[in-house]
Amino acid sequence: MKKRYNTLNDYYRLIFGEKIFKVPIDAGFDCPNRDGTVAHGGCTFCTVSGSGDAIVAPEAPIREQFYKEIDFMHRKWPEVKKYLVYFQNFTNTHDRVEVIRERYEQAINEPGVVGINIGTRPDCLPDETIAYLAELSERMHVTVELGLQTTYEATSELINRAHSYDLYKETVERLRKQAPKVEIVSHLINGLPGETHEMMLENVRRCVTDNDINGIKLHLLHLMTNTRMQRDYHEGRLQLLSQEEYVSTICDQLEIIPKDIIIHRITGDAPRDMLIGPMWSLNKWEVLNAIDKEMERRDAYQGCRLV
């Protein structure tokens, strides 16, 4: 059944002509919000291993990680022959461009690689790094995934994000101007402390109207063990979303996202042994099906509330 929103799977099939794997890699980068460059301790929702908790062999050399990941994925999809290398964990442009180049090239020249996705922050894209990304975009499909999480400065301070929304907008403008072929994806988190339903909608409105982006990732806040946010939860400053609240929020957000923007994600994954809540999020397909059913019940489509 065709989705009522612009899915990443459909988009990749359109531009690559077949199903592809997104291969997550831990390239050994740190985060400026952890090492003292801009702050210490990281975002309050972030675990000690960053966003790479599900990477198969994060300690292995980059090329070895690549082959371990595709071997694992081929157990389910043996027919897939094209890959996007996903530098996922921490901030993957947080170093000198020479170091970045050396680490990227260890994976992107492997057979079958048709592109690269780079998870990073808006405060870690100096001009020389953007120039390298522009060069890469002449060779393959390049996507920069920019962590934004919220457009509200009060929330950003509360979660120790350590960069402003204005900086985010400036970075998107520089990327668009200096590396026009690079696709830009924004990350937002639903359920951050103190954010109401209307604020979550406003995060999306600002993200898609203030910025010239190609895609968006909408995450549920996962409360994980060994995070600073764990204390907020136990002291009553954080209320986790119910599945019904989350589904309603996602559907409302989809209705105000322009039809040409690719929806890279509308939920997320978390390791069961590290997750404090919401536990319903472990049933990922149930959540996705609930979103589909609610969009069908409303007879709604992506962008249908835009004038």
Side-chain angles (χ1 to χ4, degrees), residues 10-295:
D10 286 345
Y11 177 63
Y12 281 162
R13 283 185 181 274
L14 177 66
I15 62 174
F16 296 117
E18 59 193 88
K19 183 175 178 60
I20 64 168
F21 283 159
K22 201 172 177 183
V23 185
I25 297 290
D26 184 340
F29 292 103
D30 205 339
C31 174
N33 198 9
R34 300 167 68 96
D35 66 9
T37 304
V38 297
H40 290 281
C43 297
T44 62
F45 56 79
C46 194
T47 68
V48 293
S49 54
S51 58
D53 297 306
I55 292 175
V56 172
E59 303 300 324
I62 290 172
R63 187 171 181 272
E64 184 179 333
Q65 284 187 56
F66 175 80
Y67 282 103
K68 284 181 179 292
E69 288 286 346
I70 63 173
D71 285 348
F72 178 77
M73 293 175 178
H74 277 149
R75 297 175 195 174
K76 187 172 182 181
W77 296 287
E79 75 282 2
V80 176
K81 302 299 180 186
K82 291 182 180 179
Y83 315 104
L84 288 175
V85 178
Y86 183 20
F87 287 94
Q88 178 183 19
N89 207 24
F90 292 126
T91 306
N92 292 277
T93 57
H94 181 43
D95 214 317
R96 292 175 293 108
V97 69
E98 295 82 8
V99 174
I100 294 168
R101 181 189 296 270
E102 189 272 332
R103 294 183 190 179
Y104 287 8
E105 300 287 338
Q106 289 181 52
I108 62 177
N109 293 311
E110 294 302 317
V113 173
V114 293
I116 179 173
N117 282 44
I118 302 155
T120 189
R121 290 166 52 98
D123 52 2
C124 291
L125 283 164
D127 288 346
E128 58 269 24
T129 299
I130 293 178
Y132 172 54
L133 299 183
E135 173 195 322
L136 273 182
S137 70
E138 298 295 332
R139 296 160 49 189
M140 61 181 56
H141 189 267
V142 177
T143 301
V144 170
E145 299 191 10
L146 278 177
L148 174 56
Q149 321 313 358
T150 180
T151 65
Y152 288 91
E153 300 304 335
T155 308
S156 186
E157 290 177 14
L158 187 63
I159 64 175
N160 196 43
R161 189 66 192 157
H163 69 73
S164 68
Y165 179 48
D166 283 342
L167 176 62
Y168 182 89
K169 291 190 293 183
E170 292 168 10
T171 301
V172 171
E173 289 176 4
R174 288 194 301 112
L175 270 169
R176 186 57 70 225
K177 185 178 297 184
Q178 298 172 35
K181 289 187 178 181
V182 170
E183 297 201 350
I184 304 171
V185 177
S186 293
H187 288 217
L188 291 171
I189 296 179
N190 288 322
L192 289 172
E195 293 208 344
T196 64
H197 179 82
E198 184 52 45
M199 291 170 74
M200 290 181 242
L201 294 188
E202 185 62 20
N203 279 329
V204 167
R205 286 192 194 98
R206 293 174 179 175
C207 195
V208 298
T209 57
D210 294 354
N211 303 281
D212 183 6
I213 62 173
N214 305 93
I216 194 165
K217 271 190 173 181
L218 300 170
H219 290 258
L220 168 68
L221 174 67
H222 288 121
L223 181 62
M224 309 287 281
T225 58
N226 301 318
T227 60
R228 295 164 67 188
M229 193 172 281
Q230 190 176 352
R231 179 185 296 178
D232 294 332
Y233 177 68
H234 290 306
E235 293 180 358
R237 293 186 295 273
L238 172 63
Q239 185 70 39
L240 299 178
L241 294 176
S242 69
Q243 181 172 320
E244 293 74 19
E245 289 171 324
Y246 187 73
V247 168
S248 176
T249 298
I250 285 291
C251 292
D252 287 348
Q253 290 173 326
L254 288 173
E255 289 179 356
I256 62 172
I257 296 173
K259 294 178 181 179
D260 60 334
I261 288 182
I262 310 302
I263 308 300
H264 281 239
R265 177 167 286 183
I266 54 173
T267 183
D269 301 290
R272 181 181 293 271
D273 60 346
M274 298 177 66
L275 183 65
I276 297 172
M279 299 309 292
W280 56 261
S281 67
L282 293 170
N283 300 314
K284 183 176 180 179
W285 287 108
E286 181 179 309
V287 178
L288 293 172
N289 288 336
I291 292 168
D292 289 342
K293 288 178 181 177
E294 176 61 14
M295 292 292 282

